[in-house]
Amino acid sequence: MKRMKSYSLVLGASFVSVLFVVMLISLVYTPHPPNEMNIRERLQAPSVRHWLGTDNFGRDILSRVMVGSQTAFEVGAVSVAIGLLGGFLVGTLAGYMGRWVDELLMRATDALLAFPGILLALLLVSISKPSLFQTMLAIGILSIPSFARVIRSGVLQHKEADYVKAARGLGAGHANLIFVQIAPNIASSVVTTAALSFSTAILIEAALSYLGLGVQPPDPSWGRMLNEAQSYLAKAPWFTLAPGLLITLTVLGFNLLGDGIRDLRDKKS
């Protein structure tokens, strides 16, 4: 069992690291310009010139999935940052203040959780013109309840601990108690939630882009690439392989990483 737990952490970290390196490389180099069209080379099978083939506009698929990784990591990072900031505010206030503040904030998060995530994301994105910013904001709002619940639970668990009572007795203020005494002790739980939320953000972004409500053309997105490829499944099956596989590996990698961090935390505790 311990070996399986370590495998989750190692495999997850390996997947994420490889994809992160691909993203960094795409910032400075791609085999071809990702948006360059060449109708004469449309729907070509994988070859020495185009390692993953070309799409319906003759664009190099390898270059586009590499640049698409930038979108995936940007959406994940910004969405998680929004969710963490909002969740920390809500969860800390609810857990630390308690009473009616806790009741009010938790009922608000319950109301947000009552809506299916993808439907709420569709609603938030469709309110205004679809864009990458709208997508990140919507996914970030959706992730607030997850962070809020984890942080509230951690604050409730630690705020009556002996070391917090000792710090309070020595005259420590609320800010010191929250940020110095309590926050470091719930950091591992927050990191685990962040890893899992990262994978969810990438999956929702791919779904929104597939539906035309996320990243707008001609910018590459794995979800939009799947949408463009669906009409050519029989003629050019390689068109769907790369973006579909990358979505799967990225989501799997962050899930394994989150599970590995959680298991490591549980082992230490």
Side-chain angles (χ1 to χ4, degrees):
M1 181 63 69
K2 292 181 179 179
R3 184 172 296 179
M4 288 298 296
K5 291 179 179 180
S6 64
Y7 281 162
S8 295
L9 183 61
V10 172
L11 283 175
S14 299
F15 284 157
V16 172
S17 298
V18 169
L19 292 167
F20 186 71
V21 169
V22 170
M23 186 273 292
L24 291 178
I25 293 174
S26 70
L27 293 172
V28 295
Y29 169 78
T30 56
H32 300 271
N35 294 327
E36 183 179 71
M37 299 183 185
N38 188 341
I39 300 302
R40 289 178 296 181
E41 295 186 350
R42 66 191 301 269
L43 298 178
Q44 286 192 354
S47 63
V48 175
R49 174 171 168 78
H50 299 286
W51 288 8
L52 296 181
T54 61
D55 65 9
N56 52 318
F57 292 107
R59 297 172 296 193
D60 182 64
I61 293 177
L62 175 59
S63 300
R64 289 182 64 76
V65 295
M66 288 177 66
V67 175
S69 65
Q70 298 177 24
T71 301
F73 276 92
E74 182 180 1
V75 169
V78 175
S79 300
V80 167
I82 294 172
L84 176 57
L85 181 62
F88 183 81
L89 178 62
V90 173
T92 301
L93 283 175
Y96 194 79
M97 300 297 292
R99 298 182 180 179
W100 67 269
V101 176
D102 184 17
E103 187 70 20
L104 178 63
L105 292 176
M106 286 300 98
R107 295 298 75 77
T109 58
D110 288 342
L112 192 58
L113 285 171
F115 293 92
I118 187 64
L119 293 181
L120 187 56
L122 284 170
L123 175 63
L124 293 173
V125 170
S126 61
I127 290 175
S128 60
K129 184 179 179 181
S131 65
L132 182 60
F133 174 76
Q134 289 292 116
T135 301
M136 294 187 294
L137 181 61
I139 299 173
I141 292 173
L142 288 176
S143 63
I144 288 176
S146 299
F147 284 102
R149 285 176 171 273
V150 169
I151 293 171
R152 171 184 175 271
S153 177
V155 172
L156 286 174
Q157 178 184 352
H158 291 279
K159 74 175 184 178
E160 298 300 331
D162 290 340
Y163 68 91
V164 175
K165 291 180 179 179
R168 187 183 294 118
L170 292 173
H174 297 305
N176 180 278
L177 294 176
I178 292 171
F179 292 101
V180 178
Q181 306 299 329
I182 298 176
N185 290 287
I186 63 175
S188 59
S189 300
V190 174
V191 171
T192 300
T193 305
L196 298 175
S197 296
F198 207 108
S199 68
T200 302
I202 291 174
L203 197 58
I204 294 178
E205 183 279 321
L208 292 175
S209 294
Y210 178 85
L211 296 172
L213 295 174
V215 177
Q216 298 301 297
D219 295 331
S221 166
W222 296 339
R224 174 161 284 279
M225 291 180 70
L226 285 177
N227 176 275
E228 295 169 348
Q230 65 181 352
S231 301
Y232 305 96
L233 285 174
K235 187 177 181 180
W238 60 85
F239 196 172
T240 61
L241 183 61
L245 186 60
L246 282 172
I247 292 172
T248 302
L249 289 178
T250 305
V251 172
L252 177 62
F254 277 102
N255 278 327
L256 288 174
L257 183 61
D259 288 342
I261 294 173
R262 180 185 59 200
D263 293 336
L264 186 62
R265 182 191 73 225
D266 293 342
K267 181 180 177 180
K268 289 182 178 180
S269 61

